[in-house]
């Protein structure tokens, strides 16, 4: 940056600039870098994820959720309501639940709420292994939840 020729006409961040001060350019680039540091690296995973480390993490998470779900099965499903929903759970690198989003409701608020409760009861989940932690800050785990009058699938 110190080698930039003052007087050179260029475009920086979409603004046409005439005579540039190298310290101005440095401050603008520093601002961009700092802003990018705040951006979270995330990946969406599901049962269809192929990468071994992510698939392994998903399976461990799913097994825990299913055990908790079996112990806290919603009364609405036990009483004969069979529906499914699509939900995304966002975890940080320590396995803590940051957010839960219902992507497609079951149409039965009790089942949607039960799925959220099951996820929250299991928190925190396993911290990300180093191979995942070096790639992402958060995981978005997307899953179809099927409640039947027998067991959660």
């Amino acid at each position: 940056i110190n080698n930039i020729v003052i007087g050179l006409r260029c475009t920086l961040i979409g603004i046409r600039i005439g005579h540039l001060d190298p310290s101005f350019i440095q401050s603008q680039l520093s601002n961009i870098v700092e802003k990018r540091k705040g951006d979270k690296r995330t990946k969406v995973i599901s049962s269809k994820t192929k990468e071994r480390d992510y698939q392994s993490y998903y399976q461990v998470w799913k097994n825990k959720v299913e055990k908790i779900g079996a112990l806290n099965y919603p009364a609405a499903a036990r009483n004969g309501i069979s529906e499914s929903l699509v939900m995304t759970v966002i975890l940080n690198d320590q396995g803590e639940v940051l957010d839960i989003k219902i992507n497609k409701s079951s149409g039965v608020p009790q089942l949607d709420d039960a799925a959220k409760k099951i996820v929250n009861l299991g928190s925190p989940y396993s911290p990300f292994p180093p191979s995942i932690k070096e790639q992402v800050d958060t995981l978005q785990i997307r899953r179809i939840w099927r409640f039947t009058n027998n067991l959660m699938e």
Side-chain angles (χ1 to χ4, degrees):
I1 292 177
N2 292 336
N3 296 333
I4 294 177
V5 177
I6 297 179
L8 177 67
R9 296 188 65 81
C10 68
T11 303
L12 179 65
I13 315 172
I15 302 171
R16 193 105 174 122
I17 302 173
H19 301 287
L20 295 178
D21 177 1
S23 63
F24 171 77
I25 294 170
Q26 181 65 47
S27 71
Q28 293 300 307
L29 290 175
S30 294
N31 289 343
I32 292 169
V33 169
E34 285 302 312
K35 182 177 181 275
R36 288 276 168 108
K37 282 184 184 175
D39 293 346
K40 293 283 184 193
R41 301 170 304 153
T42 192
K43 180 172 179 70
V44 177
I45 64 172
S46 70
S47 61
K48 296 178 182 176
T49 299
K50 302 287 187 227
E51 297 99 332
R52 184 178 49 84
D53 291 340
Y54 291 103
Q55 182 59 27
S56 176
Y57 190 88
Y58 175 84
Q59 286 302 321
V60 170
W61 177 87
K62 177 180 171 256
N63 290 343
K64 184 174 182 178
V65 163
E66 288 180 351
K67 284 178 187 173
I68 294 166
L71 296 172
N72 297 277
Y73 207 69
R78 284 194 306 265
N79 294 330
I81 297 176
S82 296
E83 295 294 336
S84 62
L85 63 112
V86 179
M87 187 166 72
T88 301
V89 178
I90 302 171
L91 302 178
N92 68 13
D93 64 351
Q94 295 303 304
E96 300 165 328
V97 175
L98 298 178
D99 196 12
I100 300 173
K101 298 177 182 178
I102 302 291
N103 303 92
K104 180 182 176 287
S105 173
S106 66
V108 180
Q110 298 93 324
L111 295 182
D112 294 353
D113 291 343
K116 289 179 181 180
K117 178 183 176 187
I118 290 166
V119 167
N120 282 319
L121 286 171
S123 184
Y125 294 90
S126 299
F128 298 171
S131 60
I132 292 178
K133 195 179 277 194
E134 67 188 25
Q135 296 176 41
V136 299
D137 302 310
T138 61
L139 282 177
Q140 296 184 36
I141 302 175
R142 188 158 298 143
R143 182 167 188 247
I144 299 172
W145 296 63
R146 290 182 187 90
F147 290 103
T148 65
N149 56 6
N150 294 324
L151 283 175
M152 179 178 69
E153 297 176 359

